[in-house]
Amino acid sequence: MKRVIVIGGGFAGAYCARHLEKDFSVTLIDNKDYFEFTPGVLRTIVDPAHIRKIQVVHSHYLHRAEIVIGEVTEVSKKDVTVHGKKHPFDYLIICSGSSYSAPFKEKNIISSTRAIELRAVHRQVEKAQNILIIGGGLVGVELAGELCTYYPDKHITIAHAMEELIERNPKRARDYARAFLSSHGVHMVFNEMVSKAKGNKFITNKGTKIAADLAFMCTGIVPNFSFLEKHLKNVLNKRNQIMVNEHLQVNGYENIFSAGDVNDRAVEKTAQNAERQARVAVDNIFALEYNKPLETYIDKKTPLVISLGKHTGIFVWNNFVLTGFIPGIMKTVIEKEKMFRYRF
Ligand SMILES: Cc1cc2nc3c(=O)[nH]c(=O)nc-3n(C[C@H](O)[C@H](O)[C@H](O)COP(=O)(O)OP(=O)(O)OC[C@H]3O[C@@H](n4cnc5c(N)ncnc54)[C@H](O)[C@@H]3O)c2cc1C
């Protein structure tokens, strides 16, 4: 059997390992021992028991694949190094995703430690009176939604460098998010970047002082690429994303693919797009094996659900926007459906 190595057990990597393990000798390498439904992490900040609903250990949903828990430190065109040991491959799929500030994404951790850490964050939230969210993109807005609906008495501020919240979305969605948060007492500071912190004071580049006993950084993703620097630096673009062709093959390598947040496809970096790309990478490995034409990955806008607490949300698909209760519960339904597929 040909050997396939999958780096990363997030949305893209978990999909690839599951769909290849029957036909190939698959090794999934991840620096955590579990798959986590990242969109559900924001709820755990206000409800730490929610963690049980959004995690599943890799060994539960993978039945044949070998699972290696550890950090990939080097990748060459022939093998992958973990804990100093080289793992040779016939095919490699790089799904190392992206990093986000703690506690939203964590590396080198096991599921039980993750639960303890999230409970500690929850205790800090319970104690804090003034909470600052730095960044008003999708994550910042959803976090504000969770916090202001669970804790109506806390003072929550979003500081955003842009003119509007979730600025890449249609106007109706932007206006709804702003009006919802405003009506729940969230204070918003626009066109300013937090540049300094002195004790409990955060100071923006325009000199505004924001008092906060707890701050969350929601300022965007950084690709996980460092293991490529030694042998395959030439596949990285200026933003350290992996350059791939239309079949999701890493530039210059027929047998190396990349899917998800870590590659340079110009799409919104979402779980849904990570899985769409993973499906194409999997199909193309089969296509190479059976001498069939390769599938082309087409970038397209996929539907997005933005939750504002447990019962309200925004559904966006191109210019169509639906707001209120139905999109609010959509996220919970998506989470349950996804976790059901991984558990059973
Ligand atoms: C707080 C938050 C909320 C979000 N909400 C939504 C949402 O509502 N809807 C949506 O569609 N998307 C959402 N996203 C985005 C979504 O989570 C990502 O697009 C998705 O996780 C990307 O999947 P991935 O498989 O490419 O990478 P990741 O999920 O980042 O997985 C990468 C995996 O690789 C591992 N890894 C990295 N480097 C190494 C290494 N050197 N060695 C071994 N393992 C390694 C990581 O530990 C991780 O397990 C959200 C993201 C965040 C942070």
Side-chain angles (χ1 to χ4, degrees):
M1 260 190 186
K2 293 258 178 86
R3 291 159 304 185
V4 180
I5 290 189
V6 180
I7 302 178
F11 284 90
Y15 180 99
C16 291
R18 284 179 74 199
H19 289 83
L20 289 167
E21 67 171 353
K22 273 198 206 123
D23 301 277
F24 295 86
S25 165
V26 171
T27 303
L28 174 79
I29 308 175
D30 192 8
N31 52 28
K32 15 181 220 57
D33 67 346
Y34 57 92
F35 167 84
E36 183 168 86
F37 184 82
T38 318
V41 171
L42 297 166
R43 174 102 359 114
T44 67
I45 309 268
V46 294
D47 172 15
H50 191 70
I51 193 74
R52 288 198 297 270
K53 300 185 184 158
I54 61 163
Q55 281 184 348
V56 53
V57 288
H58 297 311
S59 55
H60 189 87
Y61 64 88
L62 292 175
H63 305 298
R64 299 180 193 199
E66 180 192 9
I67 300 162
V68 175
I69 307 302
E71 174 97 12
V72 171
T73 47
E74 272 178 38
V75 169
S76 76
K77 58 184 180 186
K78 293 194 312 254
D79 52 42
V80 169
T81 307
V82 191
H83 300 310
K85 184 179 167 202
K86 290 193 187 309
H87 298 257
F89 60 79
D90 298 299
Y91 293 103
L92 171 65
I93 317 180
I94 306 176
C95 307
S96 50
S98 59
S99 302
Y100 206 94
S101 60
F104 306 112
K105 275 190 180 179
E106 297 278 11
K107 286 197 213 166
N108 298 320
I109 197 163
I110 54 167
S111 55
S112 51
T113 324
R114 175 76 165 141
I116 293 166
E117 279 193 10
L118 285 167
R119 270 200 296 275
V121 175
H122 173 69
R123 279 197 294 277
Q124 285 179 292
V125 169
E126 294 254 290
K127 268 204 235 151
Q129 258 322 300
N130 299 296
I131 301 176
L132 171 62
I133 297 170
I134 302 172
L138 295 173
V139 174
V141 163
E142 288 200 338
L143 178 62
E146 294 292 338
L147 290 170
C148 72
T149 50
Y150 270 73
Y151 300 107
D153 296 333
K154 292 194 194 288
H155 299 116
I156 296 153
T157 303
I158 301 183
H160 192 38
M162 312 300 282
E163 227 166 278
E164 293 189 76
L165 299 176
I166 50 170
E167 62 280 347
R168 290 198 297 276
N169 287 277
K171 183 169 175 356
R172 214 176 134 227
R174 301 193 304 259
D175 290 350
Y176 188 84
R178 187 171 179 160
F180 179 90
L181 295 177
S182 197
S183 70
H184 284 74
V186 176
H187 179 61
M188 287 166 249
V189 176
F190 291 103
N191 290 316
E192 298 193 36
M193 274 160 70
V194 173
S195 52
K196 270 189 274 178
K198 270 191 197 159
N200 284 0
K201 279 221 162 50
F202 292 79
I203 304 158
T204 72
N205 55 341
K206 294 193 179 159
T208 306
K209 293 190 178 77
I210 304 166
D213 20 36
L214 183 61
F216 289 99
M217 291 289 292
C218 301
T219 48
I221 63 172
V222 180
N224 294 323
F225 68 93
S226 57
F227 50 85
L228 293 167
E229 285 189 298
K230 188 157 176 194
H231 303 290
L232 297 178
K233 198 171 173 34
N234 60 327
V235 306
L236 297 171
N237 69 12
K238 283 192 184 131
R239 298 169 65 196
N240 292 318
Q241 296 167 318
I242 300 176
M243 295 183 283
V244 290
N245 66 14
E246 69 275 27
H247 308 301
L248 302 182
Q249 287 163 308
V250 173
N251 279 4
Y253 300 91
E254 192 187 46
N255 61 334
I256 306 183
F257 292 81
S258 176
D261 281 12
V262 73
N263 74 26
D264 71 340
R265 297 311 299 214
V267 285
E268 194 76 43
K269 297 297 184 187
T270 62
Q272 226 188 112
N273 284 330
E275 281 198 343
R276 279 187 68 230
Q277 292 177 14
R279 191 187 56 72
V280 172
V282 164
D283 287 354
N284 283 341
I285 287 181
F286 280 109
L288 286 174
E289 277 301 288
Y290 297 111
N291 281 324
K292 297 250 171 73
L294 294 182
E295 192 178 325
T296 295
Y297 173 75
I298 297 163
D299 295 334
K300 66 172 189 191
K301 280 209 159 185
T302 46
L304 188 67
V305 182
I306 305 161
S307 59
L308 296 165
K310 215 169 180 174
H311 305 296
T312 310
I314 309 171
F315 173 86
V316 183
W317 195 1
N318 295 312
N319 285 325
F320 174 75
V321 176
L322 179 70
T323 57
F325 180 69
I326 293 174
I329 54 166
M330 261 183 201
K331 194 122 183 183
T332 309
V333 172
I334 296 167
E335 179 183 296
K336 281 195 190 317
E337 186 270 333
K338 166 77 128 181
M339 294 313 295
F340 182 82
R341 270 196 282 146
Y342 273 77
R343 291 216 165 99
F344 303 101

